Every structure is written in C-alpha cells, then in structure tokens.
Amino acid sequence: MGELKKNYTTLKQIQTDLNNQLTTCESLVLGYLDNISKNKHLNAFNEVFEEDSIQRAVKIDKKIRSKKAGVLAGLIVGIKDNICYKGRRAEASSNILKDFVSSYSATVVDRLLSEDAIIIGRLNCDEFAMGSGNENSSYGPVQNPIKTNYVPGGSSGGSAASVKANLCHLALGSDTGGSIRQPAAFCGVVGLKPTYGLVSRYGLIAYASSFDQIGPIGKSFEDIELITHVISGKDNFDTTCIGKKMSIKKNINQTKKTFAIIEDAVNFVGLDHEISKEFDRFVSTLKKNGHKIEYVKLPLLEYLVPTYYILTTAEASSNLSRYDGVKYGFQRSCEEIDSLITKTRTEGFGPEVKRRILLGNFVLSQGYYEAYYKKAQRVRTLIKNQTEEILSRHDYILLPTTPNKPFKIGDTASPIKRYYEDVFTVQANLSGHPALSFPLGQTKDGFFASAQIIGKYFSEPELIQIAKNISEY
Ligand code: GLN
C-alpha cells in the first residue's frame, strides 16, 4: 500500500498533480486506503470498497492519459450508508437492513460515477440518519478525529470524520435537520445542505421525505461547488427534484451584502460562550469589511425544534413501515406473519428509531392528528413564510451552526436535550432553503466554532462564493 504524498485541500490540486504525472488515481486510492487502515479506530467506514476502487482507478488513469476523463477524475469520495450504490450493501447503519444489497444506484451516485469519481466506501452514520452524535449506529459510534473520545456529530458523522482525517477527499451526507452541517461543524470542515429540490433523493433511504436532502462535506468551497454542480438538477425519478443543474458562476457580484442575524439565536441561553465569542468576532469583521448587519426577530424560534420533531417522526413512521422483515434485509422467522413482523421490527430497529416511530404514530393517530400533526404543518408554513420574509429584505441569514461544541462519546443526555442540539439547523429544512456551514476559528480545546449562512431558494452559486469570500476575513 502507498502513502498519500500530500494533503490536498482541493480537487484542483489533485488534478494538477495528475496532469503533471506527479501522481495517479491508483496511488491516490492506495494512499487513502492506507489512511483508512491506519485510522480504523475512528470507525468511520461501515465498508471499504477496496478492490473495486483500485480497479476503477486503473481505468480512470487510462482515461486521463487519453484525455477522456470526466471533471471529477481524481476525486476519491465516501458515501453515507443511506445512499444506494448498485450491487453494494446499503444498510443505513441499521440491523433491519443488515446485508441488504441495493439493486440500483442513487441518482447522485450515477452522476458522480459518470464524471469519473471513485467511491471508496460507505460511511457510518446514525441509524436511518436519526441522531446528532453518530452514536445510534448498529456499527457503533464514530470518533471525532480532533479528539477521539468526542463525537463527530451526526447523523453524517462518518462523512465528516473521514473528510477531516483524510480517509477520502470528500463525502456525501444527507441533511434532514442538520445532519450535514452539524457534523461538518463538529469536525471543522465545510458542509452544504442544498435547497430542497436541487438534488435528487432517488436512491436515498428515506427518513423524512419532505425534509431530506443529499449534499457534500468537504475541505474547500471550490469542491463543494463542483460536486453540487455535478449531483444537482432535474431527475425523472424524483418529482420533488425541480431545480435546474446548479451553475458555477465565475463572476459573482461581490458588492456588500446584508446579513440578518436572528436575535433570539444569538441570545439563546444554551449557546456556548466560546462559539458566541467567535461568532461575535466574525460579525465585527463583516461590519469592518463594509457588510451590513441587521438583527431581526424570528418569533417562532422556540417552535422550530418541536415542529421539526413532530413532522419528521410522522414521516419516518410512515417511511419505516416498509421494513417488515418480508421485503428487506433482516428477518426473524416465525409461523405467524404478525409475530414475524413484530419480532423483526423489535430486534431490527435500535432504541432511537423505535422512539421516533412511536412518536410519529402518536402524532398521526386519530384524536391527536389535529392537535399535533396538522398544527405542526401550519406552523411549518408560518416558519417558511417568516424565513422568506427575512430573505426578501436581506441577502442572507447568518447564525452559528450549533449551540454547543462536540460532546463526549457515551455522554448521557435526555433525548430532549439532544434534540435541542438542532435548534439552529432545522429552520432551513423546515423552510427548504439552502444552508452552508463553515468553520470560523478554533476553540481552546482544538474544536471549531462554525457559522452557517442561509440564502434564497436555489441561490447556491452565490451562497458558496459569498461564504468563501467572507470566511477568509
Ligand atoms: N439531529 C437531527 C435528528 O436527529 C438531524 C437528522 C438529520 O439531519 N438526518 O433528526
């Protein structure tokens, strides 16, 4: 096995070395495989596609030599274990999908492959993408590469940890309530939740379909931009995917912008003081650089988390009803079909998934439907309207990505406390807006304080450029 000669920040740097024959896809793959085997303790991968990626690398090296390679040649990428790749297992880190082999590839996977990316493995995550610490996984917790007794965030914890530890150059995650942005923040890398409808969900194992979006976690804004460009755009297999292919804009109008800061978010009682300090420092540099900052109210802030959990658990209870031991994966055989289903689901799902299925069934049940589900749908519309209204008066909404720094693996907190980790991230999922998280600076213990900017629907080309620009202050 080879060693990676360099730590690349951008795909462009990799491609420059490839074109100058300073490296090959094969040696890159061998280098990443070496990093993966040296970092097994992180538990970031549920499976490594070793043979497969070496073989693909050899083919792509040939294409590079004959100048026929796609725009992602040289990109070694990991995919979250809830994204299907034909002929490979896709388990969403759940026992109920143990050894389930996908018969088709997700649209995002097809698009990556058609541009000659190499998929090196499937990444650990919270079971069915439900969690904030990657501890709810049938494969066990993932360690944060910055400090290994801390969580990397969740649910795309394996994705963020593997990018940070250089086990792959870039990773795909999914974000239903923050699962790309929060782990990106906990590991000090960049993560984008695209506008709902920009990226196809075909082949993504569903958690809450009206919230779920696939997006990239990477080391640079440049890569985030290119990957989003490649994976975005209409797809006949997903009728909610209505956005055009995201363009890559070269000359974005870099005039001064207005940023709306949600007052209740920065005054949030649970906001960590180091994150708050870094955020304030960032806001003053924005001002110094001529941008306009305005403090605004989001009267529904306290309803964000409850609304998110009522609606996502309702959708999850419906989506997860298909795992009955008959159609997919794991089965506990019994003579009676009812006991087969009960036993399979009892043993197949982990405790957090069960909690959410129960909660979802409760809020959808006759008698409670009006009081919970229907009311939450109405509140969602209000949140969407209030967010749109803020974005009609300001270019962006700016807020910390997370209220807290990473917590210790095994730290027991009540589910409600954990759910409040999502207080700043769920707004963009409830409203469908794009949101990009990026590190601001390091905290004393070596972690990072991150901010996220939320932009107008389908404004990703500008959003990424502006974030790149302001993050350099
Ligand atoms: N922490 C959130 C949850 O547990 C986020 C999940 C997600 O975005 N997939 O639901």
Side-chain angles (χ1 to χ4, degrees):
M1 262 196 207
E3 235 172 68
L4 267 189
K5 292 192 193 80
K6 281 190 198 166
N7 272 351
Y8 297 100
T9 313
T10 64
L11 176 60
K12 209 164 164 195
Q13 295 166 348
I14 296 179
Q15 291 178 337
T16 307
D17 278 5
L18 284 169
N19 292 334
N20 294 332
Q21 289 164 19
L22 296 172
T23 190
T24 60
C25 291
E26 191 182 357
S27 58
L28 287 168
V29 166
L30 293 175
Y32 286 110
L33 289 174
D34 186 48
N35 277 359
I36 294 171
S37 76
K38 283 182 185 145
N39 286 282
K40 279 217 170 91
H41 58 278
L42 295 178
N43 199 25
F45 279 83
N46 287 351
E47 186 180 355
V48 183
F49 307 140
E50 221 172 292
E51 284 302 300
D52 210 43
S53 36
I54 297 173
Q55 276 172 20
R56 254 184 84 73
V58 173
K59 279 191 198 143
I60 294 165
D61 280 330
K62 265 196 203 142
K63 279 180 140 185
I64 294 174
R65 283 197 295 274
S66 56
K67 308 243 175 293
K68 285 190 183 132
V71 297
L72 299 185
L75 176 69
I76 316 297
V77 57
I79 55 173
K80 186 174 178 179
D81 192 20
N82 60 354
I83 299 173
C84 295
Y85 184 4
K86 189 174 175 176
R88 278 88 178 164
R89 287 184 290 161
E91 299 177 330
S93 294
S94 179
N95 278 326
I96 211 154
L97 278 172
K98 189 131 203 65
D99 296 330
F100 169 74
V101 175
S102 181
S103 55
Y104 66 96
S105 285
T107 298
V108 291
V109 165
D110 278 339
R111 290 185 179 170
L112 288 181
L113 295 177
S114 69
E115 289 297 345
D116 288 335
I118 295 171
I119 299 177
I120 198 160
R122 59 186 171 101
L123 296 159
N124 202 339
C125 58
D126 280 299
E127 184 178 1
F128 285 105
M130 298 176 188
S132 309
N134 211 131
E135 292 184 283
N136 309 327
S137 162
S138 62
Y139 285 86
V142 176
Q143 299 181 345
N144 190 319
I146 300 172
K147 268 191 180 176
T148 53
N149 52 338
Y150 285 78
V151 301
S155 63
S156 315
S159 303
S162 63
V163 170
K164 181 69 183 177
N166 214 21
L167 313 185
C168 52
H169 182 69
L170 185 131
L172 289 187
S174 67
D175 193 312
T176 305
S179 279
I180 288 175
R181 291 160 286 155
Q182 186 254 20
F186 275 15
C187 292
V189 289
V190 185
L192 171 72
K193 183 209 78 85
T195 305
Y196 184 83
L198 182 71
V199 177
S200 170
R201 290 178 296 110
Y202 180 70
L204 170 69
I205 296 175
Y207 159 18
S209 313
S210 76
F211 293 75
D212 301 338
Q213 269 296 284
I214 297 173
I217 296 182
K219 299 184 180 88
S220 69
F221 293 98
E222 249 174 84
D223 288 349
I224 297 284
E225 184 180 46
L226 179 61
I227 300 312
T228 312
H229 163 73
V230 170
I231 63 175
S232 65
K234 281 204 176 63
D235 179 17
N236 291 340
F237 292 122
D238 173 4
T239 51
T240 63
C241 183
I242 51 160
K244 288 199 291 252
K245 193 163 221 24
M246 187 199 102
S247 59
I248 296 190
K249 289 210 174 149
K250 290 275 173 273
N251 297 315
I252 296 283
N253 173 2
Q254 293 281 7
T255 51
K256 303 307 168 194
K257 301 289 175 192
T258 64
F259 292 88
I261 295 181
I262 295 168
E263 218 165 47
D264 292 332
V266 286
N267 295 329
F268 184 69
V269 273
L271 182 60
D272 175 87
H273 74 276
E274 272 193 282
I275 295 182
S276 163
K277 228 172 86 190
E278 266 305 307
F279 187 79
D280 290 346
R281 185 197 55 78
F282 181 60
V283 169
S284 39
T285 54
L286 282 176
K287 281 189 202 153
K288 268 193 221 126
N289 281 281
H291 298 286
K292 209 162 144 202
I293 305 288
E294 273 177 38
Y295 287 84
V296 299
K297 293 219 180 303
L298 181 72
L300 290 169
L301 186 89
E302 64 175 305
Y303 297 101
L304 293 175
V305 170
T307 308
Y308 167 79
Y309 276 94
I310 290 172
L311 295 177
T312 54
T313 55
E315 292 189 26
S317 70
S318 160
N319 274 326
L320 272 57
S321 64
R322 73 190 72 173
Y323 305 106
D324 52 11
V326 179
K327 303 184 197 81
Y328 300 96
F330 165 83
Q331 183 184 75
R332 215 5 110 229
S333 54
C334 278
E335 301 225 324
E336 292 288 306
I337 181 76
D338 282 357
S339 343
L340 181 148
I341 295 173
T342 308
K343 277 202 155 182
T344 301
R345 286 170 70 83
T346 306
E347 289 177 32
F349 290 131
E352 181 58 28
V353 173
K354 281 185 200 154
R355 187 187 345 264
R356 295 196 192 194
I357 292 174
L358 289 173
L359 192 58
N361 278 312
F362 173 77
V363 300
L364 286 173
S365 60
Q366 205 185 7
Y368 293 103
Y369 177 86
E370 294 277 333
Y372 291 100
Y373 182 76
K374 209 157 172 203
K375 195 185 265 175
Q377 285 288 27
R378 292 205 187 102
V379 178
R380 183 180 192 179
T381 304
L382 295 176
I383 292 166
K384 181 174 173 282
N385 292 346
Q386 287 184 3
T387 307
E388 281 187 78
E389 200 268 328
I390 298 173
L391 287 169
S392 70
R393 287 182 290 114
H394 305 88
D395 296 310
Y396 302 103
I397 296 173
L398 176 70
L399 69 174
T401 308
T402 61
N404 287 306
K405 292 184 290 183
F407 42 92
K408 279 198 167 139
I409 294 176
D411 172 293
T412 46
S414 72
I416 301 287
K417 183 162 182 255
R418 276 287 176 273
Y419 295 169
Y420 272 89
E421 294 292 330
D422 306 331
V423 61
F424 299 144
T425 46
V426 294
Q427 182 185 358
N429 304 84
L430 284 158
S431 69
H433 288 92
L436 178 63
S437 172
F438 55 95
L440 297 176
Q442 256 175 316
T443 56
K444 279 196 210 109
D445 42 16
F447 292 118
F448 289 83
S450 289
Q452 60 176 327
I453 58 170
I454 303 177
K456 298 182 177 67
Y457 294 121
F458 301 109
S459 69
E460 281 83 350
E462 294 80 17
L463 187 76
I464 299 168
Q465 290 288 334
I466 294 296
K468 178 174 188 298
N469 190 289
I470 61 177
S471 73
E472 282 160 6
Y473 292 157

